[in-house]
Each structure stands twice: as C-alpha cells, then as structure tokens.
Amino acid sequence: MSVFLTPLASSWMRAQNQAADFHGFYPTTPACPIAVPLMPPANGYTSCVWADCLPTHPVLTQDKTNSSTLISSLLNSTMATLTKLSQLLLLLISCHLTFRPGNAVASYSIGINYGAVANNLPPPQQVANFLKTRTSINRVKLFDANPDFLRAFANTNISVTVTIGNGDIPALAKLPAAQSWIANNILPHHPQTIIRYITVGNEVLATLDKNLVAHLLPCMRALKSALDLAKLSSIQVTTPNSLGILSASEPPSAGRFRKGYDKAVFAKILEFHNQTKSPFMVNPYPYFGFKPQTLNYALFKPNAGIFDPATGKNYTNMFDAQLDAVYSAMKKVGYGDVDIVVGETGWPSAGDPNQPDSNLQNALSYNGNLVKHVNAGEGTPLMPNRSFEVYLFALFNENLKPSISEQNFGLFKPDFSPVYDVGILRSKQAQGPTSPAAQPPSAASQPPSAASKPPSAASKPPPAASKPPSAAAQPPSGAMKWCVPKSDATDAQLQANIDYVCGTGLDCKPIQAGGTCFNPNNIRSHASYAMNAYYQANGRHDYDCDFGHTGVLTSTNPSTS
C-alpha cells in the first residue's frame, strides 16, 4: 500500500505515469480497491491511500509464437488499466472537492463549548438533536462529565470532550482512583457516546497553585493509563491553558513559558503529549488582548499588520499571533511538533456600558472570520498549512453568568434562534445579527467582564463584593454566588490561598494597606476577597472555589453580611 499526495492539476499526469509503470506486467481482473481519502494538508493537495491495483506478475514471455496473442492481451489489459486509473482519477477529484481546505461544507475543524450556567436552557437531548440536524458542528466540549449530557449525545456521531474539576485532580493522580473515575463516568456511555478528550482541570497552570500543578501531570498519566487498561486508548487526555502560562508573547517569536515552569512543568507535560499523541490545549482570546488601535487586528479586519523582526513574518490578526507565541514557547522547550487545539475562543455580542466594542457586529466579525480562517487551512505564519481544531465559546447565551458580556458569548439563544450566523447552520435561517442580545437580570449587579477570563496577568478582578457569581448546586437556582472561606479553614491555609491567588497576577492591591478592601484587616476577610476574585476570574465553576477543600460557595454577599 502506497501513500501519495496528488495536486489536482497533475492528477491525470500521475495516472498516465502510473500506467506506464505497468507496461511489463499483465493485470488481473479484480476491481481496483477504492482509494481512501485522508484529512488533507492545507496546501490544496489531496491526501489519499491507494491500495495497489495491479499485483506484480511474471514478465511477459518473448516467445514469438505467442507474440500476437500476448500483444493483444497487453493492449487489452493496458486499456483496462487506463479505465481503472480514470475511475481512480474521478475518485481523487471527488476526494479533493470534498475535503478541499476552505470548502464551505468542510467545517471539520470547528467545535463548540456547551456551558449551562443558565436557568432557561433547553434539555440536553434537544440540544444534541439541534446540533446534529441543524448545524455542521460535530464536536462539543463540556465543562464537567454530567451523565445527562453524555447520554444526550449517544448515537449522534457528535464527539464530546468532558472535564475533570480542579478540585478532583489530586485524588485522581493515582491509578486506582483514575480507574474508578473512568468506570463511573466514561464506560457507562461508551461506545454510544463518542468521547474525544478528557480535559484535566481548567487553566490549572496559570493558577500557580503548587498543589494542583504538582498533581496535574500525575493525574493526566493516571487517567491515560486507566483508559488504556479499559481498552479506551482512542480517548486522549489534555488540559486547557490560558495565555497566562506565557511570560512573553510579543512579538510571537519571543513567546516563552513562565520561568521556572518551562522545563520543570511544561516540558514534561509536552513530553506526555508527544508520547501519547495528544494535543496541547490553549484558550486564546484576542477579546482580552486588544487595544482601541488594534481592534481591526483582533477582528480579522483589514489592517497594516504587526511585523516580527526576528522571523520576518507579518501578522494580520491577533489569533495567529497568540497561537504562534504558544508555538514559540513549545519549540523553545523542544516540542514544537506537538499538535495544538484551541479549547476556547470567542467574542461577546453585548457588554457593559464601558465596553462599547463588546457588540453584535464585532462578535459576528471575529467569530465569522475565525471560522473562515480556520476552515481555509492556512495555518499561521510560523505554522503554515496547518489545520487547527477550534472550539468556539460558546453555544448559548447563559443568563446566570455575572456580567453582560459573560452572558452574551453565545451563538444561540435558549430557543435555538441564532444571535448571528458564523457559517455553521445547515439552513439559511440566519445571515447575520437577528436581534439585540439578551439583557442582564439587573444592571446594578453587572461588573466589568474583563476580569472574568484572565488570558494574562493584565486581567484584574474587581473587589469580591462587586461580583455576582454563576449558578451552582448549593445555592438556590438563579442565586448569585460568592466564594468564601469555610468556617473551619485555618489562618495558615487562608494565607496560602491569598499568596497563590495574588501570585497569578490578579490585582491584590485592594487588600493591601490603604486599599479599598483592606478593612477589616484580618486574614479571613482578605482571603474572602482573594478567593472570590480567583473564582470569578477563572470560569466560576464549582471547582474554582475548592482551594484544597477550604472554600465554599454562598449566595450571601460577604460585603453585607
């Protein structure tokens, strides 16, 4: 069996040459095995596997008494060969047209994040059916391993990514616990539900939580071993990373991991990915990195670009620049060949009054241009002709998130009507913005959203008392939530929480002397601020308030209690 890459323009010439190679053999009559199309590279070439059509046979005899018969046989067989090769050519053309990068039908690189921080979303079964029948989305990323969601995607041919909470990482770092987790959360749904990835935690490395960081790779290894033992080797293990893992990102060639973590942590994690053929997952958000003068650069709109003098590359969009910064960091520790998957990226269709660029037109521009860019298979300046698996954030507008912008990252409203169409709908039910985005529950409870997803140390959360949190199991449905210390947490534990939260780059000036939240001046009060700031800034999942079992969610505003 031979593997070849065939430019469409030279397919026929290749077929002619292949026919000439067989001039000294006579073919047998069985039909040529079908060519199997593979995922193409992004250079316009078609990649196929071709099972040899014509087995080798003895060389034709030179016996003159049989020459006439042999020549006739040769001519007939040659014509048959050319007929088969013509059929193969048609198949190659079909393969090329079906998988050609940029083809509007080929949305194989785009997935969606399916969050549920809302009290008005449709049941998971309806969501799964909607994605299957009305969109081109064939993969979703969940923020937990909710069995109701996993059952909903059974027999839909939509692959699913499940997530393990930060707080569960230390316990699952040992094989028996990992095996138990796989048995309870994965095996009941396999193979009816296609599970593509298990993501371990949420942006763990950016937290600088030494306990979580120390257990992250052992947890990933234990889960992979448990999957292999359960004969589920097709499921890959990875962990999402914010761009806070980088100490430098501009220009892209200067990208490098945080000092002290580069070789001790990242190199080892990337070695795991290299050994298991799994991807390194990152969450680039140009939305959190743009300035007024770089808005067009962030939105994939025409702009002069940004030149990287070290590589001679000119960048015309921030998404490529952020990915190349990650690639440069990976390359510096020796793992530039590990695949990259984009776990989250998006732009809100509405924002707070002080966020004029959080609007429907910009959301359509960013997400729509991103989908086109990814599906074109152009890659990035440092990774040309490379296709990236990208998960848009998010599927729905979620009305229990704390700020206007956080509530409006969705491509769809809870009734499945599109907020705008980025090219993933099977029908023409939406060509663009359809109506104003959902309004927040109350303007008084909406803080700026820049603190809600920290892509870098520059993202700073507001004081804890000003942020209403998301929905969870403990407080009543729809209640605002804050993360506060448990009553039995010791001062030493709380001081450790303060130290690593402030070490992530979150703004702790308000709890320093003279700060707006310095009083009451005690560890518990300062820890309440720090822990809630971290919880709000890192996704507001329940596990973001774990803190080694020293944190708890409350619906009572700590600033008024």
Side-chain angles (χ1 to χ4, degrees), residues 37-82:
L38 298 175
M39 192 68 71
N43 53 9
Y45 280 49
T46 300
S47 175
C48 291
V49 175
W50 186 19
D52 291 342
C53 299
L54 303 175
T56 302
H57 287 277
V59 178
L60 289 172
T61 177
Q62 299 300 314
D63 187 342
K64 294 181 180 179
T65 61
N66 296 321
S67 61
S68 178
T69 301
L70 291 171
I71 290 172
S72 177
S73 175
L74 174 60
L75 289 173
N76 290 335
S77 64
T78 300
M79 291 303 296
T81 298
L82 290 173

Side-chain angles (χ1 to χ4, degrees), residues 194-262:
I194 303 171
I195 298 176
R196 183 171 179 83
Y197 301 119
I198 296 176
T199 55
V200 180
N202 181 53
E203 302 182 348
V204 172
L205 295 171
T207 69
L208 303 183
D209 180 344
K210 294 181 179 179
N211 184 50
L212 288 181
V213 172
H215 286 92
L216 178 60
L217 183 55
C219 181
M220 295 170 69
R221 286 173 172 162
L223 286 166
K224 182 56 180 172
S225 295
L227 288 168
D228 291 343
L229 290 171
K231 302 187 184 304
L232 298 174
S233 299
S234 62
I235 301 176
Q236 296 180 326
V237 177
T238 185
T239 184
N241 296 280
S242 76
L243 294 196
I245 61 176
L246 301 178
S247 61
S249 61
E250 294 181 356
S253 61
R256 65 179 61 251
F257 293 121
R258 289 178 178 269
K259 186 177 181 180
Y261 280 69
D262 47 3

